[in-house]
Amino acid sequence: MRWAINSVYVVLFVLLMLILLLLEGLHAWHQMEQAQYDKLHRYGQLGIQGVVSNLRLTELAAQQAASAATAAIELGYATREGICEILHQSMLNMPWLFAASTTMEQNSIDTLDTYAIQHRGLQPTVHFDAGWYLGAENKPEPLENSLSDGKAYRYYYEETTFWEREYYKKLKAGSNIFISDIYTEQHSTKGPVPMMSVVVPVRAKGQFYGVMVFDIEVDALVGQINALNASIDGDIAVVTLAGDIIMTADAQLMDKPAELLGDLSAEHLAQASSQEAVEYIAETATGKCLRRMEKFDLLDSGRQWILIAQLPMKTLYAELRRLIWGSLLAMLIGVTLFTVASAYGIKRFSRQFGQLQRFVASMAQGQLATASNVAPLLVKSHRSIAT
């Protein structure tokens, strides 16, 4: 009977431990899943910082050039050659730039504009443009369309429409920065080069004088994401709001639809575009993964992209397995100790109750001699019962 009681206790204890293990596993799963999403958030912030940092440096370079031009205009010694030299120095000092150029309003620099308009038969709304780009030997060279009469600039006639473009109109209307979409330029040695432009206005004496346009290769931004992907246990990708892949660990997916990343629909993109973040478990070609999508703005320019950070579910499963095995080991140790302790306790107390039964039976049958022999044992082993 004692072993039956003991086994009941052990079974109840094991069932209780299994229930507690199940509850702990569910709680741990939720906590680990949330911890992984928090990790994805940190990875996402690192990705955003990597993308924005290069754009920020480019913006600062453009602002510096615009400030130099503004100072020259306000002090009255600005010339086209001076503006060209500002751009040239920007290219020399900032090797990540692909090109630096300007488009200026008519009569914006000095009285030479008026002279040129009158003596060269130009239209009164003529603008001029100047700039440099990274040449074949990675040295700044004047833009071919900027050369005129030996000068590193030229006048544009009305049929030239730089000042009719979106960025020029926005900056002239009062905006402080414009960041272009990704576009492709043909380079003499590199071939087609994907790039972006950071454009800032030149303002002096309360008047709009033109813009500074600084171009960087998209590869400079992709390099930041690739370096991050190489250092984390997940993947980072960047897509446009329209669903085009800009940056990803797989170079073959560049400029492809975002749906090729796996389980990324137009609804997901719409949700990420309209709210702070989207978190879900995605089915990809390499298996399930935790995915977090977050929209971010490029230097408060109004140009927005979506950063996608994801971790394979096997990472979460591995942590859960470690927790389960640890809990099972703890339960096994607990069951073993409980079994030994309960067996010892039941054996001890069952012996005392057996002696008590013998004493009661002897007294009932009138066997006083036998009862007198059992009584000292009861007093010795269970003094409380005797009293």
Side-chain angles (χ1 to χ4, degrees):
M1 178 179 176
R2 71 183 63 171
W3 292 109
I5 296 175
N6 191 30
S7 62
V8 170
Y9 285 154
V10 171
V11 170
L12 290 176
F13 180 76
V14 171
L15 289 176
L16 178 62
M17 291 293 290
L18 288 175
I19 293 173
L20 291 177
L21 179 63
L22 177 61
L23 294 176
E24 180 185 1
L26 292 175
H27 179 67
W29 173 265
H30 176 73
Q31 284 190 322
M32 287 189 294
E33 186 178 39
Q34 187 57 50
Q36 295 301 309
Y37 279 126
D38 291 341
K39 181 191 289 187
L40 287 177
H41 176 65
R42 293 193 298 271
Y43 287 168
Q45 291 302 306
L46 290 174
I48 292 172
Q49 291 173 11
V51 172
V52 171
S53 61
N54 271 17
L55 291 176
R56 179 69 69 184
L57 288 174
T58 305
E59 180 205 10
L60 292 175
Q63 293 286 7
Q64 184 178 19
S67 297
T70 297
I73 292 171
E74 291 182 340
L75 293 174
Y77 60 81
T79 63
R80 278 150 190 71
E81 288 79 1
I83 298 297
C84 291
E85 184 57 27
I86 290 173
L87 297 172
H88 187 216
Q89 289 300 318
S90 296
M91 291 291 297
L92 293 175
N93 297 333
M94 300 156 192
W96 72 88
L97 291 178
F98 181 84
S101 61
T102 183
T103 298
M104 306 295 286
E105 293 276 275
Q106 66 274 19
N107 296 312
S108 60
I109 299 301
D110 53 35
T111 55
L112 292 178
D113 264 339
T114 303
Y115 176 85
I117 290 173
Q118 292 177 352
H119 291 81
R120 296 174 60 181
L122 303 179
Q123 298 292 332
T125 55
V126 72
H127 294 61
F128 88 96
D129 180 88
W132 301 76
Y133 75 102
L134 205 60
E137 299 180 358
N138 287 330
K139 295 181 180 180
E141 297 180 9
L143 292 172
E144 294 178 0
N145 63 352
S146 298
L147 298 176
S148 177
D149 298 333
K151 307 292 185 181
Y153 63 87
R154 63 163 290 177
Y155 287 101
Y156 277 128
Y157 294 86
E158 285 188 334
E159 61 267 19
T160 307
T161 56
F162 278 95
W163 52 90
E164 295 178 358
R165 294 183 179 180
E166 177 188 6
Y167 68 82
Y168 199 92
K169 292 181 178 180
K170 283 187 174 181
L171 295 173
K172 189 172 183 178
S175 296
N176 293 318
I177 186 172
F178 177 88
I179 296 180
S180 75
D181 228 337
I182 295 175
Y183 60 95
T184 301
E185 286 284 354
Q186 189 69 31
H187 191 268
S188 57
T189 58
K190 296 182 179 181
V193 179
M195 63 176 53
M196 297 177 63
S197 296
V198 177
V199 191
V200 300
V202 178
R203 296 191 178 99
K205 304 175 182 178
Q207 179 182 343
F208 175 81
Y209 278 77
V211 297
M212 293 290 183
V213 184
F214 279 35
D215 303 329
I216 59 172
E217 295 184 47
V218 175
D219 282 349
L221 308 181
V222 175
Q224 298 282 344
I225 296 299
N226 289 341
L228 179 59
N229 280 328
S231 63
I232 63 176
D233 53 352
D235 294 314
I236 299 293
V238 180
V239 303
T240 65
L241 298 185
D244 297 320
I245 299 174
I246 303 172
M247 307 169 199
T248 181
D250 188 352
Q252 295 181 350
L253 295 179
M254 296 286 288
D255 300 324
K256 300 292 179 60
E259 61 187 20
L260 294 179
L261 295 174
D263 198 7
L264 206 164
S265 63
E267 289 75 13
H268 290 129
L269 290 171
Q271 290 177 3
S273 301
S274 61
Q275 61 189 57
E276 291 186 359
V278 176
E279 298 175 346
Y280 65 101
I281 298 176
E283 294 274 1
T284 67
T286 57
K288 290 184 178 181
C289 66
L290 291 174
R291 177 175 288 169
R292 190 176 194 277
M293 302 173 62
E294 181 178 0
K295 177 181 64 177
F296 67 99
D297 196 283
L298 301 179
L299 306 181
D300 298 323
S301 65
R303 181 78 59 192
Q304 295 179 328
W305 288 346
I306 295 175
L307 187 134
I308 301 173
Q310 57 189 34
L311 284 170
M313 288 292 291
K314 61 183 181 182
T315 303
L316 187 59
Y317 292 148
E319 293 188 13
L320 185 60
R321 282 195 296 269
R322 286 195 295 269
L323 175 65
I324 290 176
W325 281 114
S327 299
L328 286 175
L329 179 61
M331 186 183 74
L332 180 61
I333 295 174
V335 169
T336 302
L337 293 176
F338 180 80
T339 302
V340 173
S342 61
Y344 172 78
I346 290 176
K347 181 178 179 181
R348 177 182 177 185
F349 288 113
S350 63
R351 183 174 63 249
Q352 294 173 357
F353 284 116
Q355 292 171 350
L356 180 60
Q357 287 177 343
R358 288 173 56 197
F359 177 78
V360 172
S362 299
M363 292 293 292
Q365 296 173 4
Q367 299 176 358
L368 298 179
T370 303
S372 63
N373 292 331
V374 176
L377 296 175
L378 290 174
V379 173
K380 182 179 180 180
S381 63
H382 202 69
R383 187 176 301 274
S384 62
I385 296 178
T387 57

